[in-house]
């Protein structure tokens, strides 16, 4: 999927999230994961870390070498997405108390992920695709 399609989908999901309430905590966590994944793919494509045909779906399902590549490029972004992903088995598929608070945390993380992606979108992405080290990225 193209970076622009990832951005459009992330923004659409964020708009839908704004319509939900605290009682919709399962969907808020799921939507934060989905929108966050789109934002991460947007960033990875813009930095030239992965090809348009190569999208991250779940950090937990990535091959170790691929996940390492992503973490070298955007360690904080990947850590934030992983934290959202770790909420899902406990609160969405599981029965842990505190789902509304977990959803609030997922949305905080999504906000941070989206902020980084939007920051990158406003920068000179042509330069970044040609030279990802312009942002201090250490790619193998």
């Amino acid at each position: 999927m193209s970076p622009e399609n990832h951005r459009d989908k992330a923004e659409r999901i964020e708009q839908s999230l704004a319509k939900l309430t605290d009682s919709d905590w399962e969907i808020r966590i799921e939507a934060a994961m989905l929108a966050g994944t789109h934002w991460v793919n947007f960033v990875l494509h813009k930095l030239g870390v992965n090809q348009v045909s190569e999208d991250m779906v779940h950090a937990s399902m990535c091959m170790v070498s691929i996940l390492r590549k992503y973490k070298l490029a955007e360690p904080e972004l990947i850590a934030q997405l992983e934290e959202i992903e770790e909420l899902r088995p406990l609160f969405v598929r599981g029965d842990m108390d505190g789902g509304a608070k977990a959803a609030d945390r997922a949305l905080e993380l999504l906000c941070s992920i989206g902020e980084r992606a939007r920051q990158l979108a406003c920068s000179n992405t042509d330069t970044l695709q040609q030279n990802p080290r312009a942002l201090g990225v250490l790619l193998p």
Side-chain angles (χ1 to χ4, degrees):
M1 183 182 300
S2 75
E4 293 74 24
N5 284 345
H6 281 297
R7 181 193 58 223
D8 292 346
K9 287 188 178 284
E11 289 175 345
R12 183 168 164 75
I13 294 164
E14 287 174 337
Q15 290 168 3
S16 295
L17 263 168
K19 299 175 185 177
L20 301 176
T21 68
D22 287 348
S23 65
D24 301 312
W25 51 268
E26 296 99 339
I27 300 304
R28 292 170 71 209
I29 294 170
E30 285 291 324
M33 178 65 197
L34 185 55
T37 302
H38 280 296
W39 279 128
V40 166
N41 281 306
F42 172 83
V43 169
L44 295 173
H45 291 323
K46 285 293 191 177
L47 291 176
V49 175
N50 63 4
Q51 302 295 318
V52 172
S53 61
E54 178 190 347
D55 285 336
M56 173 192 262
V57 178
H58 294 284
S60 63
M61 294 181 185
C62 279
M63 286 181 24
V64 173
S65 60
I66 300 296
L67 185 59
R68 178 148 172 73
K69 176 177 78 167
Y70 297 160
K71 285 181 176 183
L72 285 171
E74 284 289 331
E76 188 174 340
L77 206 66
I78 300 303
Q80 291 166 336
L81 186 64
E82 286 179 317
E83 187 176 339
I84 296 171
E85 191 168 331
E86 289 170 5
L87 295 172
R88 296 171 72 236
L90 299 172
F91 297 100
V92 177
R93 292 189 301 268
D95 61 355
M96 295 286 293
D97 289 335
K101 185 175 178 180
D104 289 343
R105 177 64 181 151
L107 295 181
E108 288 173 17
L109 292 162
L110 173 59
C111 183
S112 182
I113 292 169
E115 183 178 303
R116 168 69 180 124
R118 288 179 179 95
Q119 181 182 58
L120 181 61
C122 293
S123 69
N124 184 349
T125 56
D126 291 333
T127 300
L128 291 173
Q129 285 180 330
Q130 294 168 8
N131 182 12
R133 287 175 177 80
L135 281 181
V137 175
L138 301 172
L139 298 178

